[in-house]
């Protein structure tokens, strides 16, 4: 079912410093910051040959990233995103396997304008997993 690793999302306390580090120390191709108010984040995309890294900084009052950074003030890996062909089928299969889907269980439109869902980290080795219909 799962396909490519679409991205690894890293929450950072200082987006400017983090993107400068990826650009200047790792010599990576980094985007300008993109505000995503619907998701409560500002994102910098780091393009790698085989996947992407998304540097996330909280945007707005009740950003889901803010709580994470309270627990991990230096930043940390927030989630990994795997691609699937059919998100509805993936959702049904995972729920039949006992995995919990965050929110109301229905896929929603994610940061890349594609349907996504998130699996409960307690069911996946302490890792928040995003599935995206590629
Ligand atoms: Co993501």
């Amino acid at each position: 079912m799962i396909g490519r690793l679409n991205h690894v999302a890293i929450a950072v306390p200082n987006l400017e410093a983090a993107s400068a580090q990826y650009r200047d120390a790792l010599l990576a191709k980094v985007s300008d910051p993109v505000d995503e108010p619907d998701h409560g984040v500002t994102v910098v995309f780091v393009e790698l040959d085989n996947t992407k890294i998304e540097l996330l900084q909280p945007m707005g009052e009740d950003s889901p990233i803010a709580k994470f950074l309270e627990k991990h003030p230096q930043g940390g890996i927030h989630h990994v995103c795997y691609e699937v062909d059919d998100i509805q089928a993936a959702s049904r299969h995972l729920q039949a396997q006992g995995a919990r889907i965050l929110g109301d269980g229905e896929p929603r439109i994610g940061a890349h304008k594609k349907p996504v869902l998130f699996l409960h980290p307690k069911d996946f080795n302490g890792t928040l997993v995003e599935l995206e219909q590629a």
Side-chain angles (χ1 to χ4, degrees):
M1 173 173 68
I2 78 170
R4 293 179 63 243
L5 174 66
N6 184 277
H7 60 270
V8 176
I10 302 175
V12 301
N14 182 332
L15 192 57
E16 209 174 285
S19 61
Q21 183 183 47
Y22 271 79
R23 187 186 59 234
D24 301 334
L26 293 173
L27 303 178
K29 189 176 156 199
V30 304
S31 77
D32 288 331
V34 179
D35 287 338
E36 294 184 353
D38 290 353
H39 300 278
V41 291
T42 303
V43 188
V44 164
F45 298 94
V46 181
E47 294 284 341
L48 307 183
D49 281 349
N50 57 349
T51 190
K52 281 176 297 214
I53 307 297
E54 295 185 2
L55 304 173
L56 308 177
Q57 180 179 264
M59 178 190 184
E61 288 299 301
D62 39 37
S63 169
I65 305 300
K67 233 183 263 168
F68 182 90
L69 282 174
E70 270 170 35
K71 285 189 217 151
H72 307 92
Q74 299 182 319
I77 294 179
H78 183 262
H79 65 269
V80 295
C81 177
Y82 304 126
E83 296 181 358
V84 295
D85 289 333
D86 181 340
I87 202 148
Q88 296 288 358
S91 171
R92 284 194 299 273
H93 175 72
L94 280 152
Q95 290 187 80
Q97 293 286 314
R100 286 168 290 173
I101 291 167
L102 297 188
D104 62 6
E106 287 303 306
R108 61 192 180 99
I109 297 304
H112 312 116
K113 317 266 182 262
K114 292 177 175 170
V116 301
L117 55 79
F118 285 90
L119 301 172
H120 201 298
K122 286 194 173 140
D123 300 333
F124 273 89
N125 315 295
T127 305
L128 179 60
V129 173
E130 178 179 22
L131 298 179
E132 180 177 290
Q133 185 167 293

